[in-house]
Amino acid sequence: MANYKPVFPQDIIPDGLDTTIINGKTIRKGTVAAFLANLTIFEDPIATLEQKELAKKTMEDLAPDVVAVGLCKHVTFKNAEVEKMLVNLQK
């Protein structure tokens, strides 16, 4: 039996640090939260086209890091455009 222990945020990026290396990529703390916040803007019906385009561009920039942390192994996004963006990076 494996000796698994729960993992806490400070186990991934300790207090006082802003980045860590995961799967060979430097990942900044807050990356996944920023991706999700931009997804909220992208899907918001009252967001302007300019706001949505900027949110999409930011998600595209963050997407390789989101894939590197393994989020896509466990999550399928309801938004088909965002899901496709992430799936294409995994190929």
Side-chain angles (χ1 to χ4, degrees), residues 25-45:
K25 294 195 63 66
T26 301
I27 308 297
R28 187 175 189 336
K29 67 180 176 184
T31 297
V32 173
F35 186 88
L36 296 174
N38 282 290
L39 178 54
T40 298
I41 295 167
F42 184 69
E43 293 180 329
D44 192 325

Side-chain angles (χ1 to χ4, degrees), residues 43-60:
E43 293 180 329
D44 192 325
I46 65 168
T48 66
L49 181 58
E50 182 180 353
Q51 290 168 326
K52 290 179 183 221
E53 288 174 351
L54 186 55
K56 181 179 178 185
K57 170 68 172 104
T58 304
M59 285 188 299
E60 291 169 345

Side-chain angles (χ1 to χ4, degrees), residues 1-88:
M1 177 187 284
N3 186 20
Y4 290 117
K5 300 182 322 185
V7 179
F8 298 94
Q10 61 271 25
D11 297 330
I12 306 296
I13 301 179
D15 292 339
L17 296 180
D18 293 326
T19 62
T20 192
I21 306 292
I22 299 176
N23 293 322
K25 294 195 63 66
T26 301
I27 308 297
R28 187 175 189 336
K29 67 180 176 184
T31 297
V32 173
F35 186 88
L36 296 174
N38 282 290
L39 178 54
T40 298
I41 295 167
F42 184 69
E43 293 180 329
D44 192 325
I46 65 168
T48 66
L49 181 58
E50 182 180 353
Q51 290 168 326
K52 290 179 183 221
E53 288 174 351
L54 186 55
K56 181 179 178 185
K57 170 68 172 104
T58 304
M59 285 188 299
E60 291 169 345
D61 293 344
L62 294 171
D65 294 344
V66 169
V67 170
V69 301
L71 185 66
C72 301
K73 292 179 186 178
H74 307 285
V75 174
T76 301
F77 286 87
K78 291 179 183 180
N79 184 298
E81 188 173 353
V82 172
E83 178 66 14
K84 183 177 179 182
M85 174 195 312
L86 296 169
V87 166
N88 287 341

